[in-house]
Amino acid sequence: MRGAMGSLVRRALLPVVALAVALGVPSCRGVGGRAARGIRIEQVVQAARLGSAGASVTLRIRNGSRRELCFEEARFEFYLDGAPVAEFRLHEPVRIPGRTTSDCRTLWRLRTEDPMAYYALGRRLRSGDTERIGISAHIEGRSGRYPVNFSCQRMPVSDFLNTFGLSIKDIENFLE
C-alpha cells in the first residue's frame, strides 16, 4: 500500500486496530472473561477502500473459545479538539466458529460531516501528534451466551493506546 491510496486505507484501518486492541479486554469475570481472553485478531490480511465512505478489511481472527463468536456492532468515533470528526461503523455482523482461526471479511462505513477535519485527523495520526485526538469506542458481541463488550467515551487516543501498551509506531508496524 503506497501513496495516497495507502494512507487512506491506513486511516480507515485505525478502528480495526482499536478493535483488535479492545478484543484483548475481558468483558466480564469468570467463564465469560476466560472466553474473551482466547479471542485475538492476528493479522490484517487485506484492506481496500470502498468508494469514499467505506472499507473492506479481511482479518485473521483466532477464536480460542469453544463457543461461536459474533460481533453484532462495533463503532469508533474520533474527535479533534473535542469536535466530532469521523465515525467508523461495522456494517454487518461478523461470526467466527469456536476453536478456529478464520479469515473474516469485515465491512466498515465511514461517516464524516467535515472532510477537511477528517484530513487533518489523518495528518495528525500519521505525524504521531495525538494530544488533541479523542476516541469513543463501543463494541458489542457474544461468545456463546456470554457478552464480549467494550466501550469508552471520549478518551484521548494516547491514553487509549497507553492503556493497552501500544504506540502510534506499533500501529504503523501493525498496518505495514
Side-chain angles (χ1 to χ4, degrees), residues 11 14-15 18 76-80 83-88 121 125 133-136 157:
R11 281 196 308 260
L14 187 60
F76 297 91
E77 297 159 328
F78 288 87
Y79 300 87
L80 185 58
V85 173
E87 177 187 75
F88 290 87
L121 174 73
L125 286 171
I133 299 173
I135 184 171
S136 291
V157 167

Side-chain angles (χ1 to χ4, degrees), residues 34-40 42 61-69 96-102 143:
R34 285 192 300 273
R37 277 183 241 126
I39 301 164
R40 296 278 181 262
E42 297 190 345
I61 301 176
R62 179 176 59 89
N63 181 2
S65 76
R66 60 187 169 127
R67 295 170 181 85
E68 178 183 68
L69 175 66
I96 302 101
R99 294 193 176 151
T100 62
T101 300
S102 301
S143 178

Side-chain angles (χ1 to χ4, degrees), residues 107-150:
L107 298 174
W108 295 85
R109 283 212 174 152
L110 163 66
R111 187 179 63 78
T112 183
E113 300 292 326
D114 184 354
M116 290 308 292
Y118 178 66
Y119 175 75
L121 174 73
R123 287 190 58 179
R124 287 184 189 265
L125 286 171
R126 281 193 308 279
S127 71
D129 179 15
T130 61
E131 283 184 32
R132 298 175 4 203
I133 299 173
I135 184 171
S136 291
H138 179 78
I139 301 167
E140 285 184 20
R142 301 199 75 68
S143 178
R145 64 182 179 154
Y146 300 103
V148 178
N149 299 328
F150 174 81

Side-chain angles (χ1 to χ4, degrees), residues 13-22 25 76 78 124-126 128-131 133-135 137 150 152 155-172 174-175:
L13 286 177
L14 187 60
V16 175
V17 174
L19 175 65
V21 169
V25 178
F76 297 91
F78 288 87
R124 287 184 189 265
L125 286 171
R126 281 193 308 279
D129 179 15
T130 61
E131 283 184 32
I133 299 173
I135 184 171
F150 174 81
C152 67
M155 175 184 269
V157 167
S158 57
D159 289 353
F160 185 84
L161 295 174
N162 289 336
T163 298
F164 302 103
L166 294 173
S167 69
I168 291 292
K169 189 67 177 165
D170 293 326
I171 290 174
E172 289 172 9
F174 183 75
L175 296 176

